[in-house]
Amino acid sequence: MTQSFIIHCKPSQEEFLLFSDLIWSWGDGDTEELDVIVDNNANLNHEQLCLHYGIDYDQVNYIETV
């Protein structure tokens, strides 16, 4: 079963996300956080999930289930 997550990132990830195919937006009109929506088909833990999508885990505020 596919589970979707929102990865809440720091603005430092903007350049990476601009050139990626990931679905993302500024969090609630806030320029302090980027929200990235990803699927977790392989049941990865949070750190592995970020690595899979190329997101720097040290630049993540938190991750939540959609």
Side-chain angles (χ1 to χ4, degrees):
M1 180 169 98
T2 300
Q3 192 171 20
S4 296
F5 289 88
I6 298 178
I7 301 174
H8 301 276
C9 303
K10 296 177 182 174
S12 60
Q13 294 297 283
E14 181 182 20
E15 186 172 347
F16 164 74
L17 293 171
L18 284 171
F19 296 101
S20 76
D21 291 331
L22 297 173
I23 298 169
W24 68 278
S25 65
W26 287 101
D28 295 329
D30 183 2
T31 58
E32 299 297 319
E33 188 170 82
L34 300 165
D35 295 340
V36 186
I37 299 173
V38 298
D39 290 330
N40 189 359
N41 297 327
N43 199 27
L44 303 171
N45 68 36
H46 288 173
E47 192 168 355
Q48 293 168 331
L49 184 65
C50 290
L51 180 64
H52 176 76
Y53 285 103
I55 296 169
D56 182 351
Y57 186 72
D58 292 332
Q59 300 303 308
V60 171
N61 293 330
Y62 65 100
I63 299 172
E64 66 179 318
T65 306
V66 175

